Amino acid sequence: MNLDPLALLTAFGLIFLAELPDKTMFASLAMGTRMRPLYVWFGTSTAFIAHVAIAVGAGSLLGLLPGMAVKLVSAALFAFGALVLLRGGDDDQDDEAARTVTGFWPVYGTAFMAVFISEWGDLTQITTANLAATNGWLPTAIGSAAALMTVSALALLAGRFIAKRMPLKTVQRIGGLCMAGLAIWTLIEAFTG
């Protein structure tokens, strides 16, 4: 078991750059405007760690998963998130009250499932599998997980910054529209890719 620092940095850099424009980053940002960011981060981080473990452990089998079915379920989860955010935009609760209503486990579960399902066969998962095969599993796992968790944290910080400067109703509507866009994007990927 060799912890090559160059392999770790390579994995971190590649995965960080690949995840920045990814739909799960935008989903994290949207969830962070409505839910407690730390709870969302725990959920997304756990999902990312699970995917890194799967990619490292069984990278060659990822291509066998039914890609269209995974994308359809992912699109449905994004659509559900859009519905929740858009419907929640009409309440008059203040930002902190809206965040505390949901509790740790519902927020954690929502964030975990949204990321866990949508990341199947994703570029970062495939890249992690490829890096593990060539650069070793341990530095790849550490670098990839750290990169994914960092992108999620940055998205949640951006979401919190936005939520403090805009009315909650506006943030919820924008987040809902983003989630709806992600649902449509994922559907397009399912039927064209």
Side-chain angles (χ1 to χ4, degrees), residues 2 7 11 14 17 33 36 48 53-54 56 61 69 74 100 105 111 130-131 135 145 147 166 171 189:
N2 184 14
L14 285 174
L17 291 174
T33 62
R36 287 190 175 231
F48 283 136
I54 291 165
V56 168
L61 300 176
S74 179
T100 57
W105 290 111
N130 289 337
L131 288 171
N135 294 345
M166 296 177 83
V171 171
E189 284 182 340

Side-chain angles (χ1 to χ4, degrees), residues 11-187:
F12 182 90
L14 285 174
I15 299 303
F16 184 85
L17 291 174
E19 189 65 20
L20 271 180
D22 195 68
K23 61 185 170 275
T24 52
M25 188 212 57
F26 294 110
S28 292
L29 192 147
M31 286 185 285
T33 62
R34 175 71 175 153
M35 302 172 193
R36 287 190 175 231
L38 186 61
Y39 296 176
V40 173
W41 186 78
F42 282 132
T44 60
S45 293
T46 306
F48 283 136
I49 290 169
H51 271 288
V52 167
I54 291 165
V56 168
S60 63
L61 300 176
L62 290 176
L64 302 176
L65 294 173
M68 184 173 199
V70 170
K71 289 192 186 315
L72 290 175
V73 170
S74 179
L77 284 174
F78 284 131
F80 177 73
L83 179 68
V84 168
L85 286 171
L86 291 171
R87 197 179 67 178
D90 294 329
D91 59 18
D92 289 325
Q93 296 177 343
D94 65 87
D95 188 33
E96 201 55 39
R99 290 173 187 237
T100 57
V101 170
T102 57
F104 176 79
W105 290 111
V107 172
Y108 174 89
T110 300
F112 177 87
M113 291 307 293
V115 170
F116 187 76
I117 291 174
S118 68
E119 283 293 302
W120 281 103
D122 191 68
L123 174 63
T124 55
Q125 192 178 42
I126 293 166
T127 303
T128 299
N130 289 337
L131 288 171
T134 58
N135 294 345
W137 72 270
L138 185 60
T140 298
I142 293 170
S144 296
L148 293 166
M149 293 165 66
T150 301
V151 170
S152 181
L154 290 173
L156 290 165
L157 288 172
R160 187 175 181 105
F161 177 81
I162 291 166
K164 285 185 176 182
R165 281 150 183 78
M166 296 177 83
L168 179 61
K169 289 180 184 180
T170 303
V171 171
Q172 288 174 330
R173 288 187 178 116
I174 292 170
L177 292 173
C178 288
M179 293 289 263
L182 293 172
I184 292 167
W185 179 9
T186 306
L187 279 175

